[in-house]
Amino acid sequence: MSDTVEKLLEDSIEISAPAERVWALVTDIPAMAKWSPQVVKSTVKGGVVKQGATFSNLNKQGLKRWPTGGKVVRFQPPTASTPGDFAFRIRENRTIWSFQLEPTADGGTRLTERREAPDGISGLSKVLTKVVLGGQKPFTDELRRGIRQTLERIKAEAEA
């Protein structure tokens, strides 16, 4: 059972800031290293985050470092009538990471972060997770904690 890849990891947080402010933060890919405990550095090719934009990441776990590449697959800013939806696919493992922003009645935002693996992850990622990153269950638990930490850090910055 420990080699099973969970198809969906998600968590949400209420933020006392308008959705437009939260959107500006979550779509700032180079700033993700400030919020995500796994990201060391992100660089967007061409410098502009938009639908189809590609980027590279340097990730970490303890002293271990590894590169990944991503592509923005959804880029829908929030409006008065629709939630914001920002998502990117990681090339190496096929997962989709996303942020959904829903305006709340009090002028704030409900921010949900997800890691989806609808088709599982690549064979190479399964092997590397098992051999290098401690196995699926411990790594998934680490990702779950990282999602929570990311949301809390974005909340703190949005409310500052």
Side-chain angles (χ1 to χ4, degrees):
M1 188 68 176
S2 65
D3 282 348
T4 302
V5 176
E6 289 189 44
K7 296 207 181 280
L8 177 64
L9 304 176
E10 79 173 7
D11 199 353
S12 298
I13 199 165
E14 301 285 328
I15 300 175
S16 297
E20 297 77 22
R21 166 115 175 97
V22 179
W23 176 259
L25 295 175
V26 300
T27 59
D28 186 354
I29 290 174
M32 197 53 66
K34 292 193 302 187
W35 304 308
S36 171
Q38 190 178 77
V39 177
V40 175
K41 183 176 182 176
S42 298
T43 306
V44 178
K45 186 175 182 182
V48 179
V49 179
K50 60 183 180 181
Q51 180 79 30
T54 59
F55 59 94
S56 59
N57 281 329
L58 180 61
N59 300 306
K60 69 177 178 179
Q61 180 193 60
L63 297 175
K64 300 170 209 148
R65 303 284 187 268
W66 67 96
T68 57
K71 180 177 182 177
V72 176
V73 295
R74 293 193 307 266
F75 191 88
Q76 178 63 51
T79 67
S81 59
T82 60
D85 185 23
F86 175 64
F88 50 89
R89 179 182 294 273
I90 298 301
R91 179 179 55 239
E92 290 77 7
N93 64 18
R94 302 188 308 241
T95 59
I96 299 170
W97 287 84
S98 65
F99 291 93
Q100 184 176 37
L101 298 80
E102 299 173 81
T104 58
D106 61 1
T109 306
R110 179 174 176 81
L111 179 63
T112 301
E113 183 177 2
R114 293 183 179 93
R115 198 270 336 237
E116 300 170 73
D119 305 313
I121 61 173
S122 67
L124 178 60
S125 289
K126 284 181 183 176
V127 169
L128 290 174
T129 301
K130 183 176 182 178
V131 174
V132 180
L133 300 175
Q136 279 303 328
K137 171 122 179 50
F139 188 63
T140 299
D141 291 346
E142 185 177 327
L143 290 176
R144 195 174 274 110
R145 286 188 303 273
I147 288 171
R148 187 72 207 163
Q149 191 171 35
T150 299
L151 291 170
E152 289 171 352
R153 289 173 174 177
I154 290 170
K155 173 183 171 75
E157 182 144 340
E159 292 179 351

